[in-house]
Amino acid sequence: MEAKLIEEETVMRVEEEIRRRVDVALSSEAVQKQIQARLKEERAKLEDRVAAQLAQEEQDKLTQARAKLEEEHQQKVQLERMLEENQRKVEEAQSKAEEARRAEEETRFRELEQKQKEMEAERMRKKKEKDTKKQEQQKVLGKGGARPKLSFSLAF
């Protein structure tokens, strides 16, 4: 047990001596300068890392802003294309409707023209029939030189 006590006493004295030497070393001007230099160096490294991180974050924000602008531009272009397509479809539909209306008008015009021709032909037929009937009546009645004159002569 005495060995154990001696060992504990020795460990305690060694620890005290180490603490004393560390305190003396830490309180020396050279070590203080070294600590200050190391702190300065570490602070500079930390500032560089923070500056790099801030620069990276700024770059990320710029990249995101550019991507957002590009997306908005693409949406605008797509919307313009859709509007143009819709306008084209409307114009096409109007053109088809106008073409159908013209075709309908043309058909109606042809029908009216045909009806007019038929009415004209009917009128001409009736006139011809009337004229033929009139000529026949004149022949029967002997008017207008429609009938040959008979001359009677007494020949002795």
Side-chain angles (χ1 to χ4, degrees):
M1 186 152 194
E2 195 174 304
K4 190 175 184 182
L5 284 176
I6 293 176
E7 185 180 328
E8 285 177 8
E9 182 69 25
T10 308
V11 167
M12 193 172 82
R13 284 184 183 179
V14 168
E15 285 177 358
E16 282 181 27
E17 184 60 27
I18 291 174
R19 267 190 233 126
R20 188 187 66 77
R21 285 185 183 180
V22 166
D23 287 343
V24 169
L26 285 176
S27 63
S28 76
E29 198 174 306
V31 169
Q32 286 297 319
K33 284 182 181 179
Q34 210 175 20
I35 290 173
Q36 290 301 322
R38 183 98 185 256
L39 283 173
K40 187 176 179 182
E41 181 182 315
E42 289 299 320
R43 228 181 242 128
K45 286 180 183 179
L46 181 60
E47 287 174 358
D48 288 345
R49 282 194 303 262
V50 168
Q53 184 178 0
L54 288 175
Q56 182 62 42
E57 288 175 3
E58 184 67 26
Q59 185 65 37
D60 291 346
K61 286 180 183 178
L62 285 173
T63 302
Q64 289 174 351
R66 285 187 191 120
K68 185 176 179 180
L69 284 174
E70 180 63 26
E71 182 180 346
E72 288 173 356
H73 176 71
Q74 291 297 328
Q75 288 176 348
K76 182 180 176 185
V77 166
Q78 185 178 9
L79 181 61
E80 286 174 357
R81 268 193 232 128
M82 287 172 56
L83 288 174
E84 288 173 4
E85 180 68 20
N86 286 345
Q87 181 66 26
R88 184 188 62 77
K89 286 180 181 178
V90 166
E91 288 173 0
E92 192 175 284
Q94 287 175 342
S95 175
K96 284 181 180 179
E98 180 65 21
E99 191 175 310
R101 187 189 60 78
R102 283 185 191 152
E104 191 175 299
E105 284 179 1
E106 190 174 314
T107 302
R108 177 78 173 132
F109 178 74
R110 285 190 186 132
E111 288 172 357
L112 290 174
E113 199 174 53
Q114 181 65 29
K115 192 172 185 177
Q116 187 178 8
K117 284 180 183 179
E118 289 172 1
M119 288 174 67
E120 182 66 25
E122 182 66 23
R123 190 183 60 76
M124 292 296 283
R125 185 187 63 75
K126 284 183 179 181
K127 184 180 180 200
K128 194 173 186 179
E129 196 176 278
K130 184 180 175 184
D131 287 346
T132 304
K133 196 174 189 180
K134 189 176 182 181
Q135 283 177 355
E136 286 176 11
Q137 282 180 346
Q138 284 180 355
K139 275 186 188 181
V140 169
L141 297 174
K143 293 184 179 178
R147 204 183 207 187
K149 287 188 179 181
L150 297 174
S151 60
F152 296 98
S153 57
L154 296 171
F156 290 94

